[in-house]
Amino acid sequence: MEFANNFTLNRHTKAVNVLAVSKHGSLLLTGGNDGCVVVWSLTSGEMIQEIHSPAAGYISAIIWADIDDRGETMFAFGASNGNIQMYEYDALFEFRSATIGHLGAIESLAWDPNYCRLASAGDGHPQVWNLRPDKTFTPMVSQPEKQVYVACTIHFYDKGASLLVSYLESGDVALGSQMAQKVSSRIGNAALDGNYLLVSNLKDGVDKYAIPNLTHVQSFNHVILRNIPLQISVARQSGLLFVGGDDGFAQIFDYTTGAYRGQLDHGSRGDCITPVVSHEGHSKCLVITGTCLNGHSSMKVWGESDVMPEEHVTSLSSPSPSTAVQLVRFAIICVLVNALMHALQSGAFSTLYVLL
């Protein structure tokens, strides 16, 4: 499967940190160090809306908050000042509420459509919020227990019944009320795919663990040049895994075999292509990458290419013989060689001549 750059999006003046594609794949949210959230059309590549929030600091997390099948009606973002802001669509996206979520930067956000709850991770602890009819949030835990390590990612698991929290330095993963378990590496970033947790290990690639026992089942190895958390995105229908990179490109892996499938060349050598997200529609897979660079940040939208690779074109224009035809040819040669050997041994050249 080949990917081509459909178009490039330029608006942020500083590093792009987070990306989020809407449920139906028509809208993209981007947030960066410039304190701006931008809404894009993934159909045309045009900017739909720009939301400035300079007092919030940099945008560190963003997520769509769908409450029905329509999707694309609400989203929430977290910032470096610990605030969580909620926006709802009404001709344009309008501000609805701001919640002081954590004392430090919001590291991660997760949305539970089953119970309309938001989960956040920041300043060493997770928190779960109930969404009220007026689009404000109320905490479910008044004083959550603070950990000494950074809670870097948070996910709802088992249809919202449990919370899955991973911690950066310790390599701990906490699932619900169970005692935290350790993975075999540090956790730079993590993505949840069904009953599997994929961890960017800050050392040599991505590790895949089975939940709930966190049994290591697979690795996707690649070179890591910098100690930077790289984002991960799974396109299950396409059988692909996308991982950010620290040398100008994002990486593509076969999700089943773990084999390296190629790269998405976004920038120059040494550029950090940290944010990456994918979306699968009815027929094709869409991938968005972003540069984590101040001054010349951009996002690129990649789609499956209709142009077949050169080696595939060659094989179609001059097809090779089928396996059955090759077997028949081999059998005929064997018969002729056998007859020739028999004739040489018996001296019956006339018989061989009649046979030929």
Side-chain angles (χ1 to χ4, degrees), residues 12-195:
H12 293 278
T13 58
K14 295 184 179 180
V16 178
N17 299 323
V18 287
L19 309 167
V21 180
S22 62
K23 180 177 182 179
H24 302 299
S26 60
L27 297 179
L28 171 69
L29 299 173
T30 63
N33 281 355
D34 53 5
C36 290
V37 171
V38 183
V39 186
W40 304 87
S41 167
L42 284 177
T43 304
S44 64
E46 296 177 339
M47 185 186 76
I48 297 175
Q49 185 177 355
E50 188 174 21
I51 299 170
H52 295 270
S53 186
Y58 63 84
I59 309 302
S60 53
I62 198 164
I63 194 163
W64 288 95
D66 297 326
I67 59 176
D68 53 39
D69 291 335
R70 292 181 302 162
E72 303 173 349
T73 57
M74 293 195 303
F75 68 84
F77 69 83
S80 58
N81 67 349
N83 280 3
I84 301 172
Q85 296 190 28
M86 187 71 164
Y87 281 76
E88 186 177 23
Y89 184 77
D90 184 12
L92 288 175
F93 286 96
E94 302 290 343
F95 173 79
R96 290 292 181 259
S97 67
T99 304
I100 301 176
H102 298 267
L103 298 178
I106 306 295
E107 300 289 344
S108 178
L109 291 173
W111 176 252
D112 172 26
N114 300 285
Y115 301 100
C116 293
R117 298 180 300 184
L118 182 76
S120 60
D123 66 326
H125 69 81
Q127 178 61 276
V128 180
W129 310 84
N130 284 319
L131 179 64
R132 297 168 59 90
D134 61 356
K135 304 302 184 294
T136 60
F137 291 108
T138 56
M140 292 187 62
V141 181
S142 57
Q143 292 183 341
E145 181 180 355
K146 184 175 182 178
Q147 304 292 325
V148 295
Y149 301 110
V150 176
C152 58
T153 61
I154 192 165
H155 301 90
F156 282 103
Y157 177 69
D158 193 17
K159 297 181 179 180
S162 303
L163 203 62
L164 187 69
V165 186
S166 56
Y167 294 88
L168 176 63
E169 302 96 329
S170 65
D172 288 341
V173 177
L175 176 60
S177 59
Q178 299 179 18
M179 183 176 296
Q181 303 180 67
K182 287 185 178 294
V183 297
S184 57
S185 67
R186 297 170 64 199
I187 302 175
N189 214 314
L192 182 65
D193 177 48
N195 292 320

Side-chain angles (χ1 to χ4, degrees), residues 132-281:
R132 297 168 59 90
D134 61 356
K135 304 302 184 294
T136 60
F137 291 108
T138 56
M140 292 187 62
V141 181
S142 57
Q143 292 183 341
E145 181 180 355
K146 184 175 182 178
Q147 304 292 325
V148 295
Y149 301 110
V150 176
C152 58
T153 61
I154 192 165
H155 301 90
F156 282 103
Y157 177 69
D158 193 17
K159 297 181 179 180
S162 303
L163 203 62
L164 187 69
V165 186
S166 56
Y167 294 88
L168 176 63
E169 302 96 329
S170 65
D172 288 341
V173 177
L175 176 60
S177 59
Q178 299 179 18
M179 183 176 296
Q181 303 180 67
K182 287 185 178 294
V183 297
S184 57
S185 67
R186 297 170 64 199
I187 302 175
N189 214 314
L192 182 65
D193 177 48
N195 292 320
Y196 296 100
L197 184 70
L198 295 116
V199 173
S200 177
N201 60 30
L202 297 173
K203 180 183 178 182
D204 57 8
V206 174
D207 296 318
K208 183 178 179 181
Y209 297 91
I211 303 171
N213 297 325
L214 291 182
T215 304
H216 181 266
V217 296
Q218 195 175 12
S219 290
F220 305 86
N221 297 316
H222 64 87
V223 176
I224 293 180
L225 303 177
R226 307 182 191 180
N227 189 30
I228 298 174
L230 302 175
Q231 296 181 19
I232 306 166
S233 185
V234 177
R236 183 183 291 185
Q237 295 178 15
S238 302
L240 299 175
L241 175 77
F242 301 94
V243 187
D246 55 10
D247 200 21
F249 57 87
Q251 295 142 125
I252 310 173
F253 292 89
D254 188 298
Y255 190 50
T256 302
T257 65
Y260 185 78
R261 292 283 296 273
Q263 62 190 47
L264 302 174
D265 294 312
H266 185 122
S268 304
R269 291 289 302 271
D271 290 353
C272 291
I273 315 300
T274 304
V276 60
V277 66
S278 62
H279 180 274
E280 292 182 289

